[in-house]
Amino acid sequence: MRLFFILFLFCRLNLLAQPIHIEVIDVQNNTRIQEATAIFQNQLYKSQNGIIHINLSSYPSQVIVRAPFYVSDTLQIQQASVDQLFRVALQVQIKDKKTVVVSAGKRRQAIEEIPVSMEILRPELIDNKGITDLEQAVDQTPGVYTMDGQVSIRGGSGFAYGTGSRVLLLWNGMPLLSGYAGDTQWNAIPMEQASQVEVMKGAASVLYGSGALNGVIALSEKEPTLEPITKIKMQYGLYGAPKRASLQWWSVPPMNQQLEVFHSALKRRFGYTISTTGFHNDGYRIGESEFRARVSGTLYAKAILDKRLKAGLGYNFQVQKAGSFLIWQNDSLAYTPSGYGDTTAGASTVSYNFGQRLFIDPYAKFIDQHNNVHQLKTRIYWVSNENLNNSSQSNAATVSYADYTFQHKFGEGSTLSAGLTAIQNVVNSQLFGNHNSQNYASYTQLEYHKNKLDLSAGLRLEYFEMDDNEPDSQYLLPGQDSITLPFYPVFRTGLHYAIKPFTHLRASLGQGIRYPSVAERFTQTSVGALNIFPNPYLQPEMGWAGEIGIKQGFKIGNWKAMFDAALFVNQYNNMMEFSFIYYNPITEKPLNPLNPSAEDIQFLTSGLYNVSDWVGFQAQNAEKARISGLDLSFNSSGQLGKIEVISLIGYTYMNPISLNSNPQYTANFSDTNTNMLKYRFKHLAKADIETNYKQLSAGFSLRYNSFMRNIDRVFEDDLDPSTSSEVYILPGLKAYRELYNRGNLVFDARFAYTIKQQYRIAFIVNNLLNAEVTSRPGDIQAPRNFIIQLQAKF
């Protein structure tokens, strides 16, 4: 009888219970929050496509609604009808806005929970420093160094003449490297559209493929919000006199100007962003002027019939005309190009180019009835570069990209990601010739979460071929002499453990691969006394990166800080670099004057051999290297009393050593007493601190790197010492390096005043102490320069 009575009450309560539904949305962009959960009567309810289903049996009822990275809210329900829909709008937590990243796992994650080192650049820092292209912005990042268009993370890259990249640039999760040179077009990136810049250190080839051997720089576009936003930035700058009077070639200071406008809006299911930028720079070096104009944005829509589907179309188009400076006339006239004033055709080493950059990004995201995420991202990226001095050095390329990603969430926050990628590249070039390549890959990554522990593991299978030749991705099975697979496997694994709420331990190990670019394989050109030769036999380079690190959080009132320390090691095999050689055009390989082959003798006795014509650089798989070190960073934001303090500080110690002991190779070192890799250094420090008090703002930056001890010896030596006439690629470089041998130290400062929270007027001084610094041999950077800036936001 008692059992019957209990069953009767249970059935009665269920008959009285009324189903209700809670739709959880983001208050800013009106989109559903898929990770939302609710707590009702001590039970946890998960959402299905952003909607939570609960049965209510009594009133009033209280339901707590929450989601990762959002402020929780409490829904008070006094009465409800059957299947009534309630809407709860959650606000993003202010404290997490600068600590949420997406590039590590192709999804939103707290930065302290990922197993690799990562730095975040705020859009405000880029604006407030008067930065005009992404290369300048990335150079503010701890552990990162830029050199004439090349980015090096923890010493992973050297000087490569603007070709190839071991750091992959992502825009909205898709690679953005040119099809012909495999390089990043830094000035074509619409930074005004970016929500933040994420710099991931270490190999990331499992998710992103070739080019992510040394790390990833990821930018994601700003999504439109319900409140329309308009931003305008104008700035005007000029260069001051250099410290050495011999460098100054101008009577009127060179100037630069920039205008940038951004607007976004969202109306119910449709939204858009649009921006335009114009930039002009006279240049502090003769002939290195630049003009560019750009328009970019996104069209954004949610399906009318199915809220689980959203789609968009991103676009970016830029035109530019720029002068390119490569070699100085001598160390006293370092802002004057070699051959300047010589009317002989091809004598000047300044080249003028007209460039066009266009990418169009259709994408779609769908969440099925099981809460699985399906995402398709595509891109057409077209780059054209017309050499106005010499049309035979013009080139163009079109890269077609498609990536499908599937994500399934399970357990207490675990995620399975899997996907397919296809890339096709078509190059039409008078400089390199016409070429094509195909790159296909499948990948999967499992991220397991349990209480304080996160474990991750991933695998990528990649296929790559160029010009319909044998695949560059061939993989020789271990223990086999001839059995190969047509695809190359890449692995990674990682661990994160939260020791305490603000103490996080991590470790990671990942492999990477990079295929040769068209430019590295097929470039044959000369600039002044500098010759570049092709190498169609160039092979891919492989490597791995490992680290163990700890992240410790601090909080004083409303001021939060995060200290990070990591021990790292990167190792590379078959490393591609440009090496000094005597070139044999018959074999397309280096010539050995001391032990010539039959083909070498044929060339040497043909009457065609001339040292100045056939001595130069060729991309080769010359290097095996290991780079180990310590990476420290300290980031903070928030109020200390009445003053807001924001900082980005870091120091990196690197030990970059060559594992190639071949005497013929090491003889090309400028310092043969060391095995230190060329174009690297041991110490790198960065710091930026900004303080805000009421309407006043002041900022200070520091950048330091120690002396670049080892370079190619040929840059310092006479090309042909057997003759009385001296021939130098960079005249005066050896004496210059002996004098300036203490590394580079640069300080910047900025001051600003805000009016009515809408207008910001700033005065910026870069290279405050007017230091003479070089990023690579023969590349002396800008003298002290001044910028006046106005920002407005409506």
Side-chain angles (χ1 to χ4, degrees):
M1 186 68 182
R2 179 178 297 177
L3 178 61
F4 175 79
F5 181 70
I6 293 173
L7 289 172
F8 172 78
L9 286 177
F10 178 79
C11 294
R12 176 69 176 170
L13 288 173
N14 276 277
L15 288 172
L16 292 175
Q18 293 180 333
I20 61 110
H21 316 285
I22 304 172
E23 183 182 28
V24 187
I25 63 171
D26 186 304
V27 71
Q28 287 189 313
N29 56 33
N30 206 30
T31 58
R32 287 180 180 175
I33 303 172
Q34 308 303 324
E35 300 85 1
T37 58
I39 297 177
F40 174 61
Q41 294 182 346
N42 295 323
Q43 291 189 21
L44 179 68
Y45 295 83
K46 295 183 179 180
S47 73
Q48 298 179 11
N49 186 33
I51 296 181
I52 302 170
H53 307 280
I54 301 177
N55 290 325
L56 299 183
S57 57
S58 61
Y59 300 96
S61 292
Q62 179 177 284
V63 181
I64 300 174
V65 181
R66 63 187 186 182
F69 316 120
Y70 288 84
V71 178
S72 300
D73 197 4
T74 301
L75 178 64
Q76 300 284 353
I77 303 176
Q78 302 299 327
Q79 193 65 40
S81 57
V82 176
D83 289 325
Q84 183 172 345
L85 179 66
F86 294 86
R87 174 173 284 191
V88 175
L90 299 185
Q91 177 74 46
V92 174
Q93 292 182 3
I94 300 298
K95 68 178 182 178
D96 282 327
K97 278 189 176 179
K98 300 182 184 68
T99 58
V100 178
V101 298
V102 297
S103 59
K106 291 195 172 184
R107 63 187 182 90
R108 287 166 57 90
Q109 295 174 276
I111 191 172
E112 56 266 26
E113 295 176 1
I114 63 175
V116 295
S117 293
M118 181 176 285
E119 303 290 348
I120 304 298
L121 283 178
R122 301 176 298 114
E124 295 84 1
L125 175 62
I126 296 172
D127 286 336
N128 295 348
K129 280 186 64 66
I131 290 170
T132 58
D133 65 46
L134 183 58
E135 183 181 3
Q136 296 175 7
V138 170
D139 199 36
Q140 309 298 315
T141 310
V144 181
Y145 182 76
T146 63
M147 182 191 308
D148 202 17
Q150 300 287 135
V151 170
S152 174
I153 297 178
R154 293 173 171 172
S157 299
F159 178 44
Y161 302 88
T163 61
S165 178
R166 296 188 183 97
V167 176
L168 187 63
L169 176 69
L170 300 176
W171 176 262
N172 281 340
M174 293 180 283
L176 200 59
L177 299 179
S178 72
Y180 52 80
D183 65 334
T184 300
Q185 311 289 309
W186 297 105
N187 64 4
I189 309 304
M191 293 187 297
E192 68 279 2
Q193 289 273 352
S195 58
Q196 67 182 17
V197 181
E198 302 173 9
V199 180
M200 184 161 53
K201 305 173 183 179
S205 288
V206 164
L207 289 180
Y208 298 111
S210 177
L213 187 61
N214 188 215
V216 166
I217 299 171
L219 297 88
S220 298
E221 67 185 359
K222 299 173 183 175
E223 289 195 354
T225 59
L226 292 173
E227 181 181 356
I229 296 174
T230 300
K231 291 178 63 178
I232 300 173
K233 183 173 72 175
M234 296 180 291
Q235 60 186 50
Y236 178 91
L238 60 83
Y239 296 99
K243 181 172 290 187
R244 286 192 293 152
S246 66
L247 298 181
Q248 183 171 333
W249 53 269
W250 58 81
S251 55
V252 177
M255 303 176 186
N256 58 79
Q257 306 86 28
Q258 182 178 32
L259 173 64
E260 183 179 286
V261 181
F262 170 86
H263 178 71
S264 69
L266 176 66
K267 294 184 179 180
R268 300 188 68 181
R269 298 189 179 278
F270 299 94
Y272 65 90
T273 66
I274 185 170
S275 68
T276 183
T277 300
F279 176 74
H280 172 261
N281 184 15
D282 292 331
Y284 61 91
R285 293 186 280 208
I286 294 178
E288 201 173 45
S289 60
E290 179 182 8
F291 170 80
R292 64 176 184 262
R294 179 175 64 239
V295 60
S296 58
T298 300
L299 304 175
Y300 169 90
K302 291 189 295 181
I304 295 176
L305 298 179
D306 194 335
K307 293 183 178 180
R308 296 176 297 175
L309 174 66
K310 72 174 184 178
L313 177 71
Y315 58 91
N316 182 76
F317 178 66
Q318 175 170 301
V319 294
Q320 65 180 49
K321 181 181 178 181
S324 178
F325 182 109
L326 184 61
I327 299 175
W328 69 23
Q329 188 154 305
N330 55 58
D331 59 321
S332 298
L333 299 173
Y335 288 165
T336 303
S338 176
Y340 179 71
D342 189 338
T343 58
T344 306
S348 175
T349 58
V350 170
S351 61
Y352 293 92
N353 299 276
F354 177 75
Q356 300 177 77
R357 320 278 187 252
L358 171 68
F359 62 79
I360 300 175
D361 298 354
Y363 64 89
K365 182 178 181 181
F366 178 71
I367 300 169
D368 64 26
Q369 60 184 354
H370 302 294
N371 250 18
N372 298 316
V373 178
H374 305 262
Q375 193 160 234
L376 177 64
K377 294 183 175 183
T378 63
R379 167 175 292 152
I380 298 293
Y381 182 33
W382 173 72
V383 177
S384 172
N385 192 50
E386 179 185 357
N387 190 306
L388 301 178
N389 300 71
N390 184 354
S391 60
S392 66
Q393 296 195 1
S394 300
N395 45 71
T398 302
V399 178
S400 304
Y401 177 92
D403 179 86
Y404 165 74
T405 302
F406 167 84
Q407 287 190 333
H408 171 69
K409 297 181 180 180
F410 62 95
E412 300 179 6
S414 300
T415 302
L416 173 66
S417 301
L420 300 170
T421 303
I423 307 173
Q424 290 193 327
N425 178 31
V426 178
V427 176
N428 297 295
S429 171
Q430 294 173 288
L431 177 60
F432 314 122
N434 296 336
H435 301 277
N436 65 84
S437 64
Q438 291 78 41
N439 189 182
Y440 306 108
S442 64
Y443 58 88
T444 183
Q445 180 166 284
L446 175 64
E447 296 168 283
Y448 174 77
H449 175 80
K450 182 71 173 180
N451 299 325
K452 299 178 180 181
L453 178 67
D454 293 278
L455 297 173
S456 63
L459 167 67
R460 185 183 187 93
L461 303 177
E462 187 150 304
Y463 176 89
F464 179 90
E465 70 171 39
M466 183 180 290
D467 295 333
D468 301 320
N469 293 319
E470 286 191 356
D472 286 303
S473 53
Q474 288 188 106
Y475 177 72
L476 181 64
L477 291 173
Q480 302 294 325
D481 295 328
S482 59
I483 301 178
T484 62
L485 300 175
F487 50 81
Y488 196 91
V490 177
F491 300 90
R492 74 168 296 271
T493 185
L495 174 148
H496 159 261
Y497 184 76
I499 301 174
K500 293 182 179 180
F502 296 102
T503 307
H504 300 265
L505 182 69
R506 70 176 184 276
S508 66
L509 180 66
Q511 295 177 311
I513 186 170
R514 184 175 79 85
Y515 302 108
S517 67
V518 170
E520 287 171 303
R521 272 183 167 161
F522 301 107
T523 297
Q524 182 161 2
T525 188
S526 61
V527 181
L530 178 64
N531 296 315
I532 306 293
F533 301 113
N535 183 2
Y537 309 103
L538 198 62
Q539 297 298 308
E541 61 183 11
M542 288 76 70
W544 57 266
E547 73 166 65
I548 182 169
I550 188 168
K551 193 179 289 288
Q552 177 65 55
F554 305 90
K555 188 174 182 181
I556 303 175
N558 293 322
W559 182 73
K560 307 188 309 308
M562 193 75 74
F563 173 77
D564 189 281
L567 293 170
F568 65 87
V569 58
N570 302 336
Q571 182 149 322
Y572 303 97
N573 298 311
N574 248 15
M575 200 173 189
M576 289 180 273
E577 69 168 30
F578 280 87
S579 300
F580 176 72
I581 64 164
Y582 294 86
Y583 181 69
N584 186 337
I586 297 175
T587 62
E588 297 182 318
K589 294 180 179 180
L591 178 152
N592 188 347
L594 300 179
N595 186 23
S597 65
E599 291 86 354
D600 292 342
I601 294 173
Q602 178 186 353
F603 174 61
L604 290 170
T605 58
S606 66
L608 298 175
Y609 181 73
N610 183 298
V611 171
S612 61
D613 293 335
W614 302 109
V615 167
F617 290 86
Q618 181 188 59
Q620 295 185 341
N621 300 109
E623 188 64 89
K624 183 178 181 181
R626 181 185 301 126
I627 306 168
S628 56
L630 171 67
D631 203 357
L632 306 175
S633 68
F634 180 83
N635 306 326
S636 72
S637 64
Q639 298 283 139
L640 279 174
K642 296 182 179 181
I643 300 176
E644 181 185 26
V645 179
I646 305 168
S647 67
L648 177 63
I649 303 171
Y651 165 75
T652 307
Y653 168 77
M654 297 161 286
N655 185 31
I657 60 171
S658 169
L659 302 178
N660 186 348
S661 58
N662 186 339
Q664 190 172 345
Y665 173 73
T666 57
N668 291 321
F669 286 10
S670 62
D671 186 347
T672 56
N673 296 318
T674 179
N675 63 345
M676 186 174 179
L677 285 173
K678 292 180 290 186
Y679 306 104
R680 271 72 162 196
F681 32 76
K682 287 185 174 289
H683 305 279
L684 180 66
K686 305 286 180 72
D688 186 89
I689 301 173
E690 181 173 293
T691 58
N692 298 295
Y693 175 72
K694 295 183 178 179
Q695 288 88 6
L696 297 175
S697 176
F700 172 83
S701 294
L702 172 151
R703 296 183 302 281
Y704 169 76
N705 64 268
S706 56
F707 182 59
M708 189 178 290
R709 185 174 173 182
N710 217 348
I711 66 171
D712 281 293
R713 185 174 185 173
V714 68
F715 284 133
E716 296 183 342
D717 291 351
D718 183 358
L719 286 178
D720 190 4
S722 63
T723 64
S724 58
S725 58
E726 296 181 340
V727 180
Y728 289 93
I729 296 176
L730 289 168
L733 179 64
K734 186 170 185 178
Y736 183 88
R737 282 172 47 81
E738 289 173 352
L739 181 63
Y740 295 89
N741 61 1
R742 297 186 178 181
N744 298 325
L745 179 61
V746 180
F747 297 95
D748 305 328
R750 59 188 185 272
F751 307 92
Y753 183 77
T754 302
I755 304 172
K756 296 182 179 180
Q757 297 185 337
Q758 285 186 314
Y759 304 96
R760 189 177 191 273
I761 302 173
F763 178 64
I764 304 165
V765 184
N766 293 317
N767 194 358
L768 182 65
L769 301 182
N770 207 20
E772 187 170 314
V773 300
T774 58
S775 66
R776 61 156 174 85
D779 184 36
I780 298 180
Q781 297 296 289
R784 180 166 45 222
N785 54 94
F786 310 89
I787 298 173
I788 297 176
Q789 183 191 76
L790 171 64
Q791 296 184 49
K793 183 177 180 180
F794 309 98

